[in-house]
Amino acid sequence: MTARTGTIAFVGQSRDLPRLAALAAVRAPGWRIVDADTLGDPATVDVVVSWRPAPGSLDPFSNLKLVHSIGAGADNILEYAGLPDVHVCRIVDPDLADSMAQYVLWGALHFHRQFDAMLRDQAGKTWRRVSQRPASSCTVGIMGVGVLGAHVATLLAHAGFRVSGWSRSAKTLPNVAMYHGDAQRDAFLAQVDTLVCLLPLTPDTAGILDRTVFDALPHGATLIHCGRGAHLNATDIQSALRSGQLRGALVDVFPQEPLPATDPLWDAPNLIVTPHIAAVADDDAIVGQVLDNVRRLDAGLPLHAAVDPARGY
Ligand code: NDP
Ligand code: OXD
């Protein structure tokens, strides 16, 4: 392991950070790696590994060069008020992408094969052979066709679903009907049976899952939401579920996490709550990518999974 002079500090609002710091210290012996309890002189810190750095907490790091998110999203870093002009990276990992694709496939099958109706039937001890249709009769539409959305789209297409995608810029993906930009949003939504949100949280996408999006879907469509809680208008999804405009929803991320016991979303009709587990990066993958990026930083090489702070993702 090449020696380095700077310190890597694992600090932020996640209980995972001390554990990740300990693993990094084992994998990079000789490097100075600290957590909030062992911080020392902030001027020696050139790399911060974080999740939602507390307000003001990055300010003392006067020689910072890189802030690395421990998650796939970088919104938790970019929202820091006064973020210095440094590199920002996030986690991109094949196992994380597989997990996300499996979660969405499960949700798409749950709604398409009508397991939601069968669970309700079972609660009433009702034997009813609900209709079954081929996956090719169902269009899954994915908002956000980046690293995760593209992987999800590919798996769903292999499973036989019709798949469409909506991104910010024009792009092509085999077996996926692509739409892009605000001008094509309603045309995209109009042909979707199950809508999947895999957008990053940016000023343009905050609150995007609202009445206007739900109303643009065919009546009785379903939603799988794995982006960020702040994409979701909680009042509008409850109205859409109550009216039947949305037949069901599988929601993994919430405006407030953990979802408070008093939150009405727990009891919203036909809404399944999962506790932000759609795709969780493995410690080894996180630490491996962080250390690799630090080596790249030291060697002056382009960093892996760098985000563009101006674009917001
Ligand atoms: P990427 O940055 O690779 O992809 C983002 C996609 O969103 C791109 O296709 C981009 O378009 C599109 N996009 C961004 N802004 C807009 C916009 N205004 N209008 C239309 N499309 C837009 O992100 P990932 O796929 O790696 O991750 C997506 C998100 O998934 C993360 O930011 C995180 O919030 C969430 N996530 C959730 C997890 C969970 O467990 N629930 C786990 C991991 C991630 P373009 O291609 O044109 O740039
Ligand atoms: C992530 C997440 O961004 O867990 O990795 O949401």
Side-chain angles (χ1 to χ4, degrees):
M1 180 78 50
T2 322
R4 66 186 315 273
T5 47
T7 299
I8 307 174
F10 285 67
V11 290
Q13 302 186 70
S14 163
R15 282 199 293 265
D16 297 339
L17 289 161
R19 190 183 72 243
L20 293 168
L23 180 60
V26 170
R27 299 219 1 207
W31 285 13
R32 191 168 150 67
I33 295 174
V34 298
D35 61 23
D37 291 335
T38 54
L39 196 51
D41 178 5
T44 67
V45 171
D46 60 350
V47 176
V48 163
V49 184
S50 194
W51 180 264
R52 289 181 54 230
S57 63
L58 298 183
D59 299 358
F61 301 122
S62 49
N63 292 306
L64 199 56
K65 293 184 188 145
L66 164 66
V67 183
H68 210 304
S69 170
I70 59 169
D75 51 298
N76 73 90
I77 307 291
L78 298 178
E79 72 190 10
Y80 181 89
L83 184 70
D85 183 16
V86 296
H87 299 286
V88 176
C89 293
R90 65 194 187 95
I91 299 298
V92 169
D93 173 56
D95 290 333
L96 182 94
D98 279 346
S99 300
M100 185 59 84
Q102 291 154 6
Y103 179 96
V104 175
L105 178 62
W106 167 66
L109 290 170
H110 177 80
F111 292 125
H112 174 64
R113 299 291 301 269
Q114 302 209 58
F115 292 116
D116 51 346
M118 287 183 259
L119 287 172
R120 283 194 297 274
D121 285 351
Q122 182 174 355
K125 297 188 169 54
T126 300
W127 180 278
R128 180 174 65 105
R129 298 186 74 222
V130 291
S131 64
Q132 298 292 325
R133 305 180 60 203
S136 58
S137 67
C138 174
T139 299
V140 180
I142 303 173
M143 299 181 100
V145 193
V147 173
L148 297 179
H151 196 65
V152 168
T154 303
L155 181 72
L156 289 168
H158 280 145
F161 287 98
R162 273 199 310 256
V163 184
S164 59
W166 181 69
S167 54
R168 199 171 63 105
S169 55
K171 62 204 302 185
T172 56
L173 201 61
N175 305 315
V176 179
M178 282 301 303
Y179 298 75
H180 70 277
D182 291 344
Q184 294 184 6
R185 191 178 85 173
D186 283 359
F188 161 74
L189 293 169
Q191 44 83 56
V192 163
D193 298 301
T194 292
L195 180 68
V196 178
C197 179
L198 271 169
L199 289 166
L201 182 62
T202 71
D204 289 338
T205 65
I208 192 167
L209 295 180
D210 67 0
R211 183 184 306 269
T212 56
V213 160
F214 302 143
D215 286 351
L217 295 167
H219 185 78
T222 56
L223 171 72
I224 301 174
H225 178 32
C226 308
R228 280 287 179 264
H231 288 136
L232 186 65
N233 183 311
T235 307
D236 289 0
I237 191 175
Q238 289 173 75
S239 310
L241 287 164
R242 272 197 302 271
S243 71
Q245 175 60 18
L246 279 182
R247 184 187 112 212
L250 168 60
V251 180
D252 187 55
V253 284
F254 294 87
Q256 192 183 340
E257 295 179 9
L259 188 63
T262 52
D263 196 299
L265 285 175
W266 284 109
D267 300 313
N270 304 320
L271 185 147
I272 303 171
V273 171
T274 59
H276 202 144
I277 48 70
V280 180
D282 173 72
D283 284 3
D284 275 318
I286 297 171
V287 167
Q289 187 179 321
V290 166
L291 296 179
D292 185 47
N293 263 337
V294 174
R295 275 183 219 104
R296 286 167 172 268
L297 180 76
D298 291 349
L301 296 171
L303 303 186
H304 184 55
V307 301
D308 176 356
R311 204 176 56 161
Y313 66 100

